Amino acid sequence: MNRSTLTLTLAGSLATALASVAFAAPLPAEKMVGNEKCYGIALKGQNDCAAGAGTTCAGTSTMDYQGNSWKAVPAGTCTSMNVDGHKGMLEPMKG
Amino acid sequence: MTMDLAASQTAFADALLHADRPVPDGITTARGEADAARFAVYRNNVFVGLTKALAQRFPVTERLVGTQFFVAMARAYAQDHKPASPLIIEYGGDFPDFIASFQPASKLAYLPDVARIEAAWMRAYHAADATPLDLAVLAAVAPERLADLRLVAHPSTGLIRSGYPVGSIWSAHQLETVTPITDWRPQDVLVVRPEMTVNIHILPSQDAVFAACLFDGATLGAAAEAALTEAPAFDFGAALMGLVSLGAFRALQPDEGNVP
C-alpha cells in the first residue's frame, strides 16, 4: 500500500469506527463498560482478593515437602479440558 | 578455611535450596556442632514460602495439574530460582518459561500460556496507576499524521498470544466447577487494568498482530499493514478504537511531536 493510500485508508477506517460512538468530552465510565462488551470478549474473573504472595502474612506450613518421591502425573482439572475431542492429557504420564 | 561474606552467603543460599547439600560451614548450635535436622526445618520453611508464593500467583495452573504436581513443579523451579527481588509478588515472573521446559508437564501444551496469563494478571494488578488514553484525544489527531503515530502502552498491559484457548481455560477456572472447553481454537488474550480491576479479554483474532506491533512500539501504519498481511478482514478503525476503549494505551507517543 503506498503512503497516501495508507493514510486515507486509516483515516477513513478510524472515522467510521469513531462515528459509531457519540462522544464529546472524556467518555464516562459507564460508556467504557459498554464498549468493553462490544469489543473482544471480556472474561469475568474472581474478586481482586488475591493480591499476591507477600501481601498477607500467612505463616509457613509444617508440611515437609523435602522428599522427592512424587509422581509426575498432572492430576487436576486438566483431565477435563478437551483437546480435539480428546482429554486435556493425551495420555497418562508415567511417574 | 575462611570465606569472605559474599562467598559464605552464596554457599549458605545454595545449601538452603538444595536438599542434597550438607549443612554449610560455620553453622553451629549452642552445643557446638551443626544440627542437620534444624537446618532442614529452616530449608523447609524457605521452600514452603516460595512454593506458596507461586501457588498464590498461579492458582489456575495449580488447579489444572493438581496440588501435588504443582508443588513438585514449583519446588523444582525454586531450587534454581532464588527470588531476584525483595518483593515476593515478583517471584515467579519466569515460572511460565520454566513450565514450558518442564518435561513432566510437556503433555499440557497450553499450560505455559495459562501461567503467562496469571503472571500478567499479577503484573497488571501491581502496575502503576495511569489514566488510559481517551478516545477523544485519538479522534483529534490530524488524519495525515495517523500512519506515523505511535501509542504508549498502558503500564498494566500484557498480551498473551497462544495457540490454545487459554482465555477460555482461565475463565473456566474462575468457577467452582470447571466445564470442558468445547471450542478448542487459538486465542489471544489481553490483560489490562485501566482502573482498579484487572480485566482479561479475548481479542478478535484478526487484531492480535496489530496489538502486538503497537505494544512493541510500531507506528499505526506499520502495525496496520502487518495486520492486513496476515488477516485481510482486519478493520483498522474498529481494532484501534476497541483497544483504546479497553484501556490498553496510556497516551500518544510524545516524541513524535504529538500534542496529548
Side-chain angles (χ1 to χ4, degrees):
Chain A
M1 205 180 301
N2 76 38
R3 185 87 212 147
S4 55
T5 313
L6 177 65
T7 297
L8 280 175
T9 306
L10 297 188
S13 176
L14 181 60
T16 305
L18 290 172
S20 67
V21 184
F23 62 87
L27 286 173
E30 59 268 30
K31 198 80 175 182
M32 296 285 289
V33 172
N35 283 337
E36 282 178 30
K37 283 175 186 158
C38 299
Y39 181 78
I41 300 166
L43 302 176
K44 193 167 166 51
Q46 287 173 333
N47 292 334
D48 289 345
C49 51
T55 53
T56 59
C57 47
T60 54
S61 134
T62 54
M63 286 174 69
D64 187 354
Y65 291 130
Q66 291 206 15
N68 274 334
S69 60
W70 55 285
K71 289 187 176 177
V73 184
T77 56
C78 58
T79 52
S80 61
M81 297 288 107
N82 273 344
V83 181
D84 296 325
H86 298 83
K87 295 293 187 181
M89 283 292 294
L90 296 180
E91 59 192 63
M93 298 289 298
K94 297 289 185 286
Chain B
M1 187 187 88
T2 56
M3 290 189 283
D4 65 30
L5 182 63
S8 73
Q9 285 183 341
T10 302
F12 182 81
D14 286 345
L16 260 189
L17 294 177
H18 294 90
D20 55 343
R21 306 274 167 87
V23 178
D25 291 340
I27 304 285
T28 57
T29 65
R31 287 196 302 274
E33 66 191 66
D35 187 334
R38 290 190 184 186
F39 189 71
V41 169
Y42 187 52
R43 178 186 274 149
N44 186 52
N45 279 344
V46 170
F47 269 106
V48 170
L50 293 179
T51 53
K52 274 195 168 176
L54 292 172
Q56 288 187 20
R57 187 169 185 177
F58 299 96
V60 174
T61 306
E62 181 181 13
R63 281 188 79 185
L64 276 163
V65 298
T67 297
Q68 193 186 13
F69 186 93
F70 184 87
V71 168
M73 184 163 69
R75 203 184 154 83
Y77 171 82
Q79 279 196 338
D80 295 320
H81 297 80
K82 299 186 190 101
S85 156
L87 303 176
I88 200 69
I89 49 170
E90 293 181 3
Y91 187 63
D94 59 354
F95 188 49
D97 295 336
F98 173 83
I99 294 173
S101 68
F102 188 63
Q103 199 278 329
S106 60
K107 296 281 181 183
L108 300 176
Y110 52 83
L111 196 64
D113 286 342
V114 173
R116 286 185 178 104
I117 294 177
E118 299 196 285
W121 191 100
M122 188 66 73
R123 266 185 229 110
Y125 188 89
H126 292 287
D129 292 336
T131 306
L133 172 64
D134 199 294
L135 265 184
V137 174
L138 187 66
V141 173
E144 67 273 14
R145 283 176 40 209
L146 268 182
D148 291 327
L149 194 63
R150 296 173 206 269
L151 303 181
V152 181
H154 191 275
S156 66
T157 296
L159 178 67
I160 294 92
R161 303 200 59 202
S162 181
Y164 305 93
V166 289
S168 297
I169 294 174
W170 181 88
S171 183
H173 285 78
Q174 303 308 303
L175 302 171
E176 195 79 17
T177 306
V178 177
T179 49
I181 309 301
T182 49
D183 194 11
W184 195 269
R185 65 175 72 185
Q187 286 177 351
D188 301 292
V189 174
L190 179 74
V191 180
V192 67
R193 184 177 64 79
E195 290 171 358
M196 301 310 283
T197 307
V198 178
N199 298 329
I200 310 258
H201 307 272
I202 300 169
L203 292 183
S205 59
Q206 74 273 14
D207 295 355
V209 169
F210 181 65
C213 290
L214 292 184
F215 297 152
D216 283 345
T219 62
L220 292 182
E225 291 198 302
L228 280 166
T229 303
E230 224 169 83
F234 170 73
D235 180 335
F236 169 79
L240 182 58
M241 200 183 84
L243 291 168
V244 170
S245 301
L246 296 185
F249 301 103
R250 183 167 63 77
L252 310 181
Q253 185 74 257
D255 63 8
E256 300 290 315
N258 305 307
V259 182

